Amino acid sequence: MSASGPARQIVVVGGGVAAFSAISELRSRGFDGAITLLSPEGLPYDRPTLSKGYLLGTEDATKIRLAPEAWYAERSIELVPERAVALRPAEGAVELDGGRRLPADRVLLATGGVPRCLGVPGGEAAHTLRDLADSDALRRALAPGARVAVVGAGLIGAEVASAAVVLGAEATLIDPVDPPLVPAVGEALARRLHAMHAERGIRTIVGAPVGIEAHDGAAPGSAYSVRFADGSTVAADAVVAGIGILPDTALAEAAGLEAEGGVIVDDTGATSNPAVFAAGDTCRRRAGDGTLARRSEHWEAAVHSGQVAAAGMLGAEPPQFGAPWLWSDRHGVHVEAVGTLDERHAPGARTVLRMVDGVPQAAFLLAADGHLLGCSAVDLPLVVRAARRIIDRGIVPDPDALADPSADPRKLTR
Amino acid sequence: MSEGIDVGSPDEIEEGTARVIEPEESGFDEPIAVFHTETGCFFALDDTCTHEEASLAEGWIEGDAVECPLHSSSFDLRTGRVLCLPATQSARTHKVEVTGGRVVLYPGVDAEDAARVSEQAAE
């Protein structure tokens, strides 16, 4: 495969939202060459719901598809439900399981990640959550009355614990950090959100397990003991680990592409081979000054990196995006954050809170010069959308208006 | 269905906001959001986002677009065209006109079709 000459045959490896975003962007930009999507799970589907609506059973597998089958046909995108086993850059091909080779002059790796396993004895018994089959298996485990120990109280762990109590299971949520999520939403909202678990009957434990012991058949209804360093244990019928992912860099590394905690890409999404691009959870961007960015594992970042790679494969300028955004749904509330709430990276910054009856509804991180760095909020979508515009447009907001629960969010950007 | 329904005077829907017309009022099978843009135009779309259960009337209205309050898909208010993920399906439009000092909604009448018809009539 060679980056000389315009792209005519693009093979996209992966069936997540980064892959979908890239193929969608390629056609939007008028690319009329061949696109083949290698998606072993078939029609691409949206993953955030696997720990939310899909896990709860309020959405089904058809509903969570990113687009119906006809969408691909209308855009002449060939969907191949097979796994790529090797890139053959020198031959301009991608090799499939079974030996078939697909010709390609550009390849996009959107291989995502694999859930990090609990690195303790017995840790392999824990459920992890990444794909539909994982969510199906987890839902079977979250039966009424079942005791579920969830290790990791970040976004996915908190959502799984929330779903567990809705489904009638008893949940214990375990995390060494108290409260979790401070870098993502700021301390005030992190405390409020973490306290909601106890209010919903979830037991929260500050700590990290040192082992998972299985009692196969020995004690019915008590399949596992989650053991802590002080000797205490939590009995559980099922254990879930929500402790992050490891980027799936296997294809890239086997093809000799540079990888370090992710497949390294430049500002155009290109890897160390200019004909091979990467997007989504698997990629890690190296900035122009040579520094490696932290891999973002959020949905919107995957969408944007897919769009960047699509532009890159066509030799176009990369699109620019504003402040990053994330959301989480648990205990019936919708949590969002935009920009950064991480004070560690903002010396001199201060936090302004929007409070109602002593409860924080939104947090704003203001730089020393008054610019807005980030905002997090619970059930305040317009405040978050205003904050995003304030950040992206470099507006210096009035801190009193940010803190005022009666202030109309639509007027904050003026 | 071509008969218009009176949904109020233009100033009853503040600029940059929207009003939801429920099926009981419109006789249409879905709630319809009537948007009043900051430039003074009126548009109408099915209120429920094509992605998940969220009311577009509660979204961020700016220019000729509305951004869903839940997952931030945007829709072109004139055409209903979806502008970004996670939604991939465009929203259904409904014709709205301001006539005789009233905002009149035509539930089920495609706004773009209506515009084309009126352009042809003007020729």
Side-chain angles (χ1 to χ4, degrees):
Chain A
M1 154 182 354
S2 152
S4 63
R8 295 309 305 155
Q9 287 183 308
I10 295 177
V11 171
V12 176
V13 184
V17 77
F20 182 83
S21 161
I23 59 175
S24 181
E25 182 75 7
L26 284 169
R27 287 296 186 234
S28 300
R29 285 176 175 267
F31 174 67
D32 62 0
I35 300 177
T36 305
L37 183 67
L38 290 175
S39 175
E41 291 182 85
L43 285 173
Y45 57 87
D46 215 13
R47 293 176 195 269
T49 186
L50 299 181
S51 54
K52 307 178 182 76
Y54 184 81
L55 182 58
L56 286 168
T58 57
E59 290 170 26
D60 64 19
T62 305
K63 165 86 178 130
I64 71 170
R65 283 176 187 162
L66 286 161
E69 200 160 3
W71 186 95
Y72 301 87
E74 284 160 13
R75 287 160 184 77
S76 302
I77 291 165
E78 191 192 2
L79 185 65
V80 177
E82 292 181 46
R83 193 170 297 280
V85 294
L87 304 181
R88 304 280 178 216
E91 299 153 48
V94 174
E95 188 176 323
L96 304 185
D97 208 1
R100 186 156 76 101
R101 289 183 181 200
L102 297 176
D105 51 33
R106 301 287 188 286
V107 173
L108 174 61
L109 294 173
T111 48
V114 289
R116 199 184 284 272
C117 291
L118 272 180
V120 299
E124 62 283 353
H127 287 260
T128 53
L129 182 51
R130 183 71 185 173
D131 59 26
L132 265 178
D134 295 338
S135 188
D136 290 338
L138 186 53
R139 193 184 328 161
R140 286 191 293 274
L142 302 181
R147 290 165 300 174
V148 183
V150 181
V151 182
L155 297 171
I156 284 185
E159 290 177 347
V160 167
S162 165
V165 293
V166 172
L167 295 170
E170 272 178 41
T172 302
L173 191 52
I174 302 159
D175 198 292
V177 179
D178 181 28
L181 283 188
V182 172
V185 299
E187 179 154 2
L189 284 193
R191 289 204 181 284
R192 174 183 169 190
L193 292 168
H194 199 55
M196 290 178 85
H197 296 308
E199 289 158 17
R200 300 299 194 284
I202 295 169
R203 181 179 170 203
T204 54
I205 293 177
V206 180
V210 294
I212 312 290
E213 287 155 27
H215 314 262
D216 274 341
S222 174
Y224 301 99
S225 288
V226 179
R227 187 170 294 282
F228 294 87
D230 64 3
S232 64
T233 58
V234 169
D237 304 301
V239 182
V240 186
I243 53 172
I245 61 161
L246 296 169
D248 185 349
T249 57
L251 282 175
E253 292 194 58
L257 304 179
E258 190 187 356
E260 185 182 336
V263 182
I264 306 299
V265 296
D266 65 15
D267 288 340
T268 71
T271 67
S272 55
N273 180 326
V276 181
F277 291 72
D281 285 346
T282 196
C283 77
R284 186 174 186 198
R285 197 171 63 86
R286 178 183 280 135
D289 64 4
T291 55
L292 285 174
R294 267 192 69 171
R295 252 175 356 91
S296 173
E297 294 174 359
H298 297 298
W299 179 92
E300 191 192 51
V303 170
H304 287 169
S305 66
Q307 291 167 339
V308 166
M313 288 189 284
L314 301 180
E317 282 294 304
Q320 302 296 317
F321 303 103
W325 166 76
L326 65 88
W327 85 90
S328 174
D329 295 296
R330 72 276 292 281
H331 304 306
V333 301
H334 186 59
V335 184
E336 294 176 278
V338 64
T340 180
L341 278 299
D342 194 344
E343 295 183 12
R344 293 171 304 180
H345 303 305
R350 68 183 177 112
T351 296
V352 169
L353 298 177
R354 183 179 279 222
M355 309 282 288
V356 172
D357 299 331
V359 179
Q361 314 292 315
F364 303 89
L365 186 65
L366 289 163
D369 67 0
H371 280 90
L372 186 60
L373 299 171
C375 163
S376 61
V378 175
D379 286 335
L380 287 175
L382 293 183
V383 168
V384 173
R385 276 148 195 77
R388 185 172 216 176
R389 285 158 177 84
I390 291 170
I391 298 169
D392 291 347
R393 294 169 192 173
I395 297 167
V396 175
D398 171 8
D400 294 337
L402 296 179
D404 178 3
S406 68
D408 179 351
R410 293 182 174 92
K411 300 200 162 62
L412 294 175
T413 57
R414 291 176 190 159
Chain B
M1 209 186 300
S2 60
E3 206 166 307
I5 57 167
D6 184 338
V7 296
S9 74
D11 57 9
E12 281 172 51
I13 306 174
E14 198 189 329
E15 287 185 355
T17 71
R19 196 192 138 193
V20 180
I21 312 300
E22 296 294 345
E24 303 84 74
E25 192 180 342
S26 67
F28 194 65
D29 56 359
E30 297 281 343
I32 296 172
V34 177
F35 300 89
H36 191 181
T37 68
E38 285 164 317
T39 51
C41 298
F42 285 88
F43 300 104
L45 302 177
D46 275 7
D47 183 47
T48 306
C49 181
T50 64
H51 172 237
E52 274 184 29
E53 287 291 318
S55 165
L56 293 178
E58 293 169 17
W60 185 274
I61 300 155
E62 186 168 306
D64 288 344
V66 60
E67 179 182 327
C68 178
L70 206 53
H71 301 125
S72 285
S73 275
S74 284
F75 298 88
D76 184 319
L77 291 173
R78 289 177 187 274
T79 62
R81 195 166 68 88
V82 60
L83 302 173
C84 68
L85 287 169
T88 52
Q89 243 187 309
S90 292
R92 179 165 46 191
T93 60
H94 303 269
K95 179 186 169 187
V96 196
E97 59 184 18
V98 180
T99 178
R102 307 299 292 175
V103 180
V104 180
L105 169 69
Y106 295 82
V109 177
D110 184 279
E112 282 193 279
D113 286 350
R116 271 193 293 275
V117 169
S118 68
E119 272 169 35
Q120 281 163 5
E123 276 167 13

